[in-house]
Amino acid sequence: MTTPYDRVAYPTTIFAQTNPERLAVLARLAGLDPVPPEESRILEIGGGNCVNLIAMAAMWPGCDAHGFDLSANAIARGQEIAAASGLGNVTLAVEDICEAHHRYPAGSFDYVIAHGVYAWVPEHVRAATMRLAAHVLSDRGVAFISYNAMPGGHVRMIMREMLLDAIGEIDDPEQRIAAVRDFLEDYALPRDGDEPLARTLRLQAANMLLRPDAVLFHDELGPCFYPQRLLDVAAEAHANGLVFLTDAGRNRQMDGFLPEGADLPEDPEAAVLMAASRDDYASLRYFRQSLFVKQEPDRVVDAMRIADTWMSTRVRRQADGTFLHGEDVISIADDALADALARVAAMYPHRVPLNTVTDDPTLLRVILQLYTEWYVNLHPGPAPFPAKPGDKPCSGALVRGMLTLGETTLCTLDHGVLKVEQPELRALLMAADGTRTLAEIAALATGIPPEDTLAALTASCGKALMQG
Ligand SMILES: C[S@@+](CC[C@H](N)C(=O)[O-])C[C@H]1O[C@@H](n2cnc3c(N)ncnc32)[C@H](O)[C@@H]1O
């Protein structure tokens, strides 16, 4: 069967918010006992080429990663990447969500990820997605399900209706995309007397023009587009025996929790869901990344539960003592914490045990807040990549696999992507395959001066490109 995703490949990439480390930390915050990601079983549902999952398999050789998609082309590409990388712990299959329960036994996965699937499939497939997640999830497991959400979805629906009218009967993907761009370019222009809602839609049109063609082709214009209400998704999860844990998105990670010291309402899950849903309407939310579990979470937040995690951060301290994260400016009132943050940031992407930073509950609360805002990362354990190259330096298996396939945008061992522009560095990463000593690598004609080889490999460790 040829699917729309066979006709135009979806530009699947890494989605940091799906990373089992994030899911594990949030489960621990709720007093649960998630399986350490490095020894877990992970399933990605409708993962496209599943590169998001393959990158996890590369990070944790001890995990068992499975992924599937209906698109044979997407899975073939994923299999090509996994094979070129020699990863033995990832298995990809062409499979239908509605049939997948035959392939995967009950309780067989500790982390289940369905990113960008739930709101883009027909009703019966959506129901099967939740059923499958509940079927395969282990008792200690965490499921991640993202979807276009209401009420922002209403705005997207308006765009979709207009665009589908503009496209009419055009079937050819290139012509479809061209017609959409033509329409959006005109629609995005402000008109005299625009009402606030029209202004919002024009802004949305302008944003859509920034998207890659394939995203434009699939996201609003695919055959299925059904934004969901959080309360409906949670009810569907409940009907399948799953409990809402929280949301994995930026500034949403506390959605499943009640403030410290709060009285426990009669139905804590219903209370947090109702508050989160109200907030969706207040802020016109259009995307959600809901987490579900099988065990009852402890809803009252307790910052002490992050005390045994590890921290990393890419904030940058400025001359005036504030920190920058992207364009956000962050002030930290506590000097000792500010110094500690600067110290941890200098080691990025490496991690430090949080208990070496502080055990003060007040400061742990501040760090939890920074984590919620995605200014710091918390991890269940140390980084799966070294700070310095080993005796026989070894770049990541997936790094080399992607280079072999001619890719220059590489998946890193901290579940990110990095474009490596310099051919000499790419040659060096290929040469560092774990079979040669530093001197032997330096003697090869990589284009990196021999005397700079160690520095270049150490810098590559600092970019999470090396596994040893
Ligand atoms: C919007 S794409 C998202 C892909 C990937 N998860 C990502 O976020 O980049 C939706 C994916 O769901 C897959 N899909 C749709 N219906 C499916 C089904 N019945 N069984 C398996 N996969 C399906 C599509 O082939 C496509 O790869």
Side-chain angles (χ1 to χ4, degrees):
M1 179 174 65
T2 303
T3 74
Y5 295 93
D6 289 310
R7 296 182 73 196
V8 176
Y10 197 76
T12 296
T13 179
I14 301 284
F15 306 107
Q17 64 279 29
T18 68
N19 191 295
E21 293 201 321
R22 182 171 297 279
L23 313 193
V25 167
L26 291 168
R28 274 161 69 164
L29 188 61
L32 303 175
D33 177 29
V35 175
E38 65 273 18
E39 58 193 55
S40 68
R41 301 158 299 171
I42 309 169
L43 176 67
E44 181 152 24
I45 298 172
N49 62 24
C50 293
V51 74
N52 185 48
L53 176 86
I54 297 170
M56 294 174 195
M59 288 172 76
W60 306 305
C63 82
D64 185 18
H66 292 253
F68 74 90
D69 197 282
L70 200 55
S71 163
N73 285 355
I75 288 298
R77 175 64 179 158
Q79 285 170 333
E80 186 183 25
I81 295 171
S85 311
L87 293 170
N89 60 339
V90 57
T91 310
L92 303 182
V94 178
E95 182 59 275
D96 188 330
I97 290 168
C98 301
E99 300 299 323
H101 56 288
H102 298 301
R103 181 185 292 267
Y104 306 110
S108 51
F109 292 100
D110 307 306
Y111 297 97
V112 176
I113 297 157
H115 183 268
V117 178
Y118 198 71
W120 290 268
V121 288
E123 172 65 40
H124 72 284
V125 183
R126 185 163 33 264
T129 304
M130 191 62 86
R131 245 189 348 264
L132 176 66
H135 166 75
V136 294
L137 197 68
S138 68
D139 285 346
R140 292 165 67 196
V142 185
F144 170 108
I145 297 183
S146 69
Y147 46 94
N148 271 348
M150 290 301 192
H154 288 296
V155 177
R156 289 188 156 180
M157 290 294 269
I158 300 173
M159 297 304 298
R160 172 178 167 82
E161 282 171 19
M162 284 194 300
L163 291 171
L164 288 178
D165 281 350
I167 293 169
E169 298 295 308
I170 300 173
D171 180 54
D172 175 71
E174 268 182 35
Q175 290 178 16
R176 237 172 125 85
I177 292 163
V180 167
R181 289 210 180 274
D182 276 354
F183 179 86
L184 287 174
E185 264 157 27
D186 175 60
Y187 189 82
L189 298 174
R191 310 314 200 242
D192 286 344
D194 267 349
E195 296 287 337
L197 183 55
R199 282 206 295 274
T200 303
L201 288 168
R202 297 201 201 289
L203 209 60
Q204 172 78 359
N207 285 337
M208 287 178 76
L209 279 168
L210 301 175
R211 296 187 194 164
D213 284 352
V215 174
L216 214 49
F217 179 79
H218 287 293
D219 276 17
E220 260 91 351
L221 302 175
C224 299
F225 188 77
Y226 303 109
Q228 300 290 308
R229 275 160 38 94
L230 168 65
L231 294 181
D232 294 338
V233 179
E236 185 74 14
H238 237 234
N240 285 282
L242 293 176
V243 183
F244 177 69
L245 170 64
T246 192
D247 190 284
R250 185 170 184 204
N251 284 323
R252 299 264 54 91
Q253 294 180 153
M254 291 302 113
D255 276 5
F257 295 88
L258 297 161
E260 210 170 320
D263 288 335
L264 217 51
E266 197 174 314
D267 184 344
E269 185 187 7
V272 294
L273 280 167
M274 189 52 77
S277 170
R278 283 204 190 111
D279 194 71
D280 285 354
Y281 283 88
S283 56
L284 214 75
R285 187 149 351 272
Y286 59 87
F287 195 62
R288 271 217 168 260
Q289 310 177 75
S290 299
L291 305 184
F292 297 99
V293 290
K294 290 214 157 151
Q295 292 169 353
E296 207 51 55
D298 188 344
R299 298 278 174 201
V300 179
V301 108
D302 176 359
M304 289 306 288
R305 289 204 172 120
I306 62 166
D308 61 351
T309 60
W310 293 58
M311 180 165 84
S312 66
T313 179
R314 54 194 325 176
V315 293
R316 277 175 296 125
R317 197 180 216 172
Q318 304 189 96
D320 66 0
T322 60
F323 289 87
L324 262 191
H325 187 272
E327 292 181 358
D328 296 352
V329 180
I330 310 150
S331 300
I332 303 288
D334 185 278
D335 288 345
L337 181 59
D339 289 346
L341 263 190
R343 233 177 20 249
V344 179
M347 294 172 64
Y348 187 85
H350 301 291
R351 310 167 178 182
V352 299
L354 193 47
N355 62 19
T356 64
V357 174
T358 185
D359 57 2
D360 176 345
T362 308
L363 296 187
L364 287 174
R365 278 184 209 112
V366 177
I367 291 169
L368 184 57
Q369 180 61 32
L370 294 171
Y371 174 61
T372 304
E373 294 170 66
W374 284 17
Y375 294 140
V376 307
N377 296 324
L378 296 177
H379 314 269
F385 48 88
K388 285 192 240 140
D391 292 342
K392 291 196 168 172
C394 190
S395 56
L398 180 54
V399 167
R400 270 174 288 124
M402 295 181 92
L403 286 172
T404 307
L405 295 174
E407 300 280 344
T408 52
T409 299
L410 309 176
C411 296
T412 62
L413 288 159
D414 65 346
H415 208 226
V417 285
L418 185 74
K419 188 155 179 65
V420 176
E421 307 269 12
Q422 314 92 306
E424 311 79 37
L425 182 54
R426 297 202 293 267
L428 181 72
L429 291 167
M430 284 303 289
D433 63 1
T435 65
R436 302 182 178 95
T437 62
L438 184 67
E440 286 166 340
I441 294 171
L444 295 174
T446 61
I448 302 268
E451 64 278 17
D452 294 345
T453 303
L454 178 59
L457 288 171
T458 306
S460 299
C461 289
K463 291 180 181 142
L465 291 166
M466 303 291 293
Q467 67 186 32

